[in-house]
Amino acid sequence: MRKGRNNIWGFVAIITGVVIFLALILPTEFWWFILAVVLIGAGIWFIRSC
């Protein structure tokens, strides 16, 4: 598989499409849970990378 900017943009497009699809189906409370998980994951990633 080629690596590069096209690969990153394709991944971003797929993730964005999944989020939009789920936003139509799932209730609002679910998104607060997802936000918390993303923030915790980003914090752990930031701590490990520095």
Side-chain angles (χ1 to χ4, degrees):
M1 183 185 300
R2 289 186 308 148
K3 298 209 182 260
R5 290 186 84 76
N6 291 337
N7 193 17
I8 292 170
W9 284 115
F11 183 71
V12 168
I14 291 170
I15 294 299
T16 304
V18 169
V19 168
I20 291 171
F21 181 72
L22 291 176
L24 296 171
I25 297 172
L26 297 172
T28 307
E29 294 82 19
F30 177 78
W31 294 106
W32 287 112
F33 175 75
I34 291 296
L35 178 62
V37 169
V38 168
L39 288 174
I40 291 169
I44 292 171
W45 175 77
F46 184 73
I47 289 170
R48 291 182 58 100
S49 67
C50 290

